Amino acid sequence: MGLFDKLAGWLGLKKEVNVLCLGLDNSGKTTIINKLKPSNAQTQDIVPTIGFSIEKFKTSSLSFTVFDMSGQGRYRNLWEHYYKEGQAIIFVIDSADKLRMVVAKEELDTLLNHPDIKHRRVPILFFANKMDVRDALSSVKVSQLLCLENIKDKPWHICATDALKGEGLQEGVDWLQDQIKTMRT
Amino acid sequence: MSVGEASTDGGKWLDAHYDPVAGLHTFSSCVALADLSGDGDSRLVLGDLGSAGSGMKLKVYRGTVLTNESSLLDLPAGLVSFFMDLHEPRIPAVAVASGPCIYVYKNLRPYFKFTLPGLEINTLEQDVWRQVREGQIDPSTLKEMLESLRTSDVPLSARSLHLLSLDVEQAEQFVHLHKQQPIRRQTVITCMGTLKKSTADEDGVSCLVIGTESSHVFILDPEAFIILTKMELPAPPTRMDVTGQFDVEFRITVACRNGNIYILRRESDRPKYCIELSSHAVGLVRVGKNVVVGCTDESLQGFTQKGKKLWRTVLPAPITTMAAMDLPTRGFQGVLVGVASCEVLLFRHKNLLSSVRMPDAVSSICFGRYGREDGTLIMTTKGGGLMVKILKRTAAFEDRDGAPGPPQAQSIRLNVPKKTKLYVDQTLRERESAPAMHRAFMMDLSRLRLAAAKAMVKVLECSLTPVSSGVGQPLKINAVVQGLGPAFKLTLNVQNTAACRPVMDLAISFQYDQSLYRVRTPFLRIPLLVPGIIYPLETFVDCTSDKGVSDIIKVFVLHGGRSAPLLTAHINMPVSEGLTLN
């Protein structure tokens, strides 16, 4: 990290990072983003996102701009138009929806094979969400079902989370922050 | 188009779940998808027929797990989910038809039981049972009398029919057990459907439509469960499809056991249209305004809602089940057909779009919203397996043999020159004086015919033909010219075509241009002609000219004592290609 960056850090000017938040509908993308925002900016009721929404939150050293994409089938073709801008990807999975794990895998494979993503070292953070649901799959099982071990050319990390309580989110964001910092230097 | 051409594509479907030992034995009519909890998460509701007449269950799946199970009293004949009231939250009820009853479940708890009204009982049948009750006749006499009733085509009650199937000792016991109860004749439900009451909304209140073994169709009010409409068919219905709204206009398409399809409409209690199929229907699916019928002769046929046949396509194997595939978000409508060769075929109109290979023959198909996924295909197999496939978001179906309509080449513009003034004048003239032109043409045609007839008569009179059909000597002649020239061999084949009379005293002579040809024997005597045998007569012709010209040689068949020839043949001589000898 250069001297200027340190200086900027001291002055409270933080680096801007664009992050894409993807995942199937009802997986908890908006809830996760909502939890990451400062508590006074959080909303109480989460409704299905239409199209996408832009949210901002800050960590110790970075300022995140999150494109919270809608996961509904008819809006999923919007995702690829934002791949270019994304410097990192958050992929949220509903661990309790075993039936649609194949759909999540299909969307992930489409994402990874997209020309805007394929040849870039974009860090991907997976949130195996809804761990509070009784028969939810473990994060290991989710990574197995999504064949995450096949992702060789990008840094990735999977966290078991419960977005309603906010458990596991911080761990994931810390990892993402470290990755972005190492990318810069 | 054969199935072999269509790629068996796993490319369009994602394998979401497969449980080969789910133990589900059901048919498409007993499978439904419904949002039973009102949370946008659709469940799969199945009426399981169990095995060997036991273990009938109503099963509910959520995602990959069985969440609810309750026993059914009888084999389910149909299962539908429908909205029966306007209460919030909008939770549909499930209706299961079995035997003469409909069991309605709300929130997966039994809510209401509707029983069809009993049928009229024959007075004679009633009378004999009364007599046996009063001890006037014994069970064997009862049985005899019932037998005679049955042979005179009287519909008997289930109890009488059961009695007739028993042997003497059992019959006695049976009669003693049952004679005190009054007899009832019940019909059973064969198929069930739903019909929106007054709005076409997705969550509008629906009436139940049921078809019975007594060849009736009933429409039930969803709240009071009273019969709103009763319609009669010529045969018991087996499959049904309902569209429209009860208060506005509706159509009930019913496939019946006599191999016909009847279309019922709102205003009449009798079928409005009838489609006579060449074989029995095994599946009936509505696609838009058309009806697609699968038949036992391994064919799929499309009809309009007025019963006009649109198309027919042949399948590779017998049909096991059929279901509609309706995907309004993508504007796609098709028909899924399960065939005995362990495949599920997808048709749009008559075109095969894709086929899905299955590990086992499919016994039921259901397509719709399951869980949160709109395009989900749920199938159960003969062996009791459950398979769930999800249509890929990117999957696109294209007709491989062109959509109905003109071929591509037809739309290419040809460089046709402009209409000339002459052409326009001519068409105008044709339009104005068409009758005169027609008359002139007909006159000329008559003249032509007359001229042809005259020429024919002349030919026959002068015997200018190579065939004589006269009563005297029916003869036939044909000539063959062999050789390159200048010497030709001329073979005349003469045949007597009479049935049995020989011909005598005939001769042949030639007429030719003597400056060109020389015939070595210009006069030939013909021997006696036995009927039927071909006599070849040979002579040689020398061409005396070296100018390379040819001419006709006329052959006359003459009869002694007559000046006119019997036959005339014209031989077109070939050009002499060799050197002249002289």
Side-chain angles (χ1 to χ4, degrees), chain B residues 131-144:
Chain B
Q131 284 176 5
V132 85
R133 188 161 61 236
E134 291 166 3
Q136 292 172 353
I137 52 171
D138 60 347
S140 58
T141 331
L142 168 75
K143 202 172 163 182
E144 268 168 40

Side-chain angles (χ1 to χ4, degrees), chain A residues 86-156:
Chain A
Q87 286 150 296
I89 289 169
I90 297 173
F91 199 93
V92 186
I93 303 127
D94 179 353
S95 319
D97 195 349
K98 277 170 227 157
L99 192 74
R100 293 209 300 161
M101 213 49 89
V102 276
V103 185
K105 178 176 175 355
E106 173 70 16
E107 294 297 347
L108 178 65
D109 290 346
T110 322
L111 162 77
L112 293 175
N113 289 321
H114 193 274
D116 287 345
I117 297 287
K118 199 171 183 181
H119 304 295
R120 284 167 56 200
R121 234 182 103 78
V122 187
I124 307 177
L125 173 61
F126 292 94
F127 280 133
N129 197 22
K130 301 203 186 180
M131 281 299 158
D132 53 319
V133 178
R134 198 159 48 89
D135 46 359
L137 299 166
S138 69
S139 60
V140 177
K141 190 78 190 152
V142 170
S143 65
Q144 256 173 22
L145 285 173
L146 296 185
C147 303
L148 296 185
E149 69 274 10
N150 292 347
I151 307 174
K152 299 270 178 6
D153 54 347
K154 291 178 184 60
W156 61 269

